[in-house]
Amino acid sequence: MKRYIYYFMIIGLLPVFSCTDGLDLYPNDKVTVDNYWNTAEDALRAVNATYSNTFPQSDTYGCDLLFLDAASDNTYPQHSNQFGNFQQIALNAFEANHAALQELWNRRYVTIRRCADFLVNIGNVNMDPILKNRYTAEVLFQRAYAYYYLIAQFGDVPWVDHPLTIQEASSIRRTDKYAIAKQIISDLDYATANLPSSYTNEEDDGRVTRWAAFALKSRICMFMAGDYRKSSPDQKWYWEQARDATDSVITKSGKFNI
């Protein structure tokens, strides 16, 4: 009987050693780095993923630009709803576990992670170079937008420009906010040079344009120049950059006026 058992064990092990070449080594039911980043459609889907947190629903702790102004002198909230979350921030009447800040942090770093994934892998996609530059400009805008929120609320924060390993994520440190500001302003310069003024296809409604990139650059530069909590290095440069970016939107575009 033992001899028969041994025979069955040997026969059962044969497929393991003899059919390795025929096994599917990668999962076919999910997207992985190994089976993605091949076509322009792959790149487009990755770009679209970076938009998901650009304007989150206002009923989710009020984590959009309108509510963010409630933490400044630009807006006074009269209601104790989502606006109230940021009024607490403006009054410095909040704790570390403040729900709106936690939501803001999580959403922005989800976007930054998706942007990093795109920027690391887009070079592997064989596609029209002009369209590739436009997609890259859209993603750089989204990263700049996310980091603007973060440095505005937290000051120095971790800078992420590639998908982090578990080890890196557990040891990453904060980067000086002025260094981050200079980088995202540079990213927006790339965006203004590679984004269209408008889109002709209906399915592209809502995509970032050159003028949106100029507007965001102006807002970031005014924030950095006007940070009187500490002496802002290159303050004059920030004001000049804000002026020029604003002029591009209001005057040079021929599309907007005050």
Side-chain angles (χ1 to χ4, degrees), residues 2-18:
K2 290 183 179 180
R3 181 167 48 183
Y4 290 122
I5 292 175
Y6 292 148
Y7 287 154
F8 285 124
M9 290 177 62
I10 293 172
I11 293 173
L13 288 172
L14 284 176
V16 175
F17 295 105
S18 62

Side-chain angles (χ1 to χ4, degrees), residues 32-50:
T32 69
V33 174
D34 298 296
N35 61 22
Y36 201 74
W37 301 108
N38 295 310
T39 67
E41 288 73 22
D42 291 341
L44 178 59
R45 284 191 289 269
V47 173
N48 291 345
T50 68

Side-chain angles (χ1 to χ4, degrees), residues 111-204:
T111 296
I112 290 166
R113 170 62 174 80
R114 291 173 180 174
C115 291
D117 195 41
F118 176 94
L119 295 170
V120 166
N121 290 289
I122 186 60
N124 300 326
V125 181
N126 184 18
M127 59 180 293
D128 175 66
I130 295 177
L131 188 59
K132 181 183 288 189
N133 290 342
R134 195 203 91 187
Y135 286 173
T136 301
E138 290 183 66
V139 170
L140 289 176
F141 174 93
Q142 298 294 354
R143 185 172 73 174
Y145 191 76
Y147 267 114
Y148 165 64
Y149 269 89
L150 291 169
I151 64 175
Q153 292 301 316
F154 302 103
D156 301 347
V157 295
W159 172 259
V160 178
D161 60 2
H162 65 279
L164 300 178
T165 64
I166 294 176
Q167 291 74 19
E168 288 174 318
S170 63
S171 60
I172 192 170
R173 295 293 182 264
R174 296 190 299 173
T175 299
D176 180 79
K177 73 173 183 178
Y178 293 101
I180 293 175
K182 285 293 182 68
Q183 179 60 57
I184 61 178
I185 289 170
S186 176
D187 291 343
L188 290 171
D189 287 338
Y190 181 94
T192 58
N194 290 279
L195 287 171
S197 298
S198 61
Y199 296 89
T200 57
N201 297 325
E202 184 176 345
E203 59 267 25
D204 289 327

Side-chain angles (χ1 to χ4, degrees), residues 33 36 53 64 78 97 108 146 169 171 203-204 206 208 218 252:
V33 174
Y36 201 74
N53 288 318
D64 57 27
Q78 62 175 329
N97 62 348
R108 299 309 158 190
S171 60
E203 59 267 25
D204 289 327
V208 61
S218 176
K252 296 178 181 178

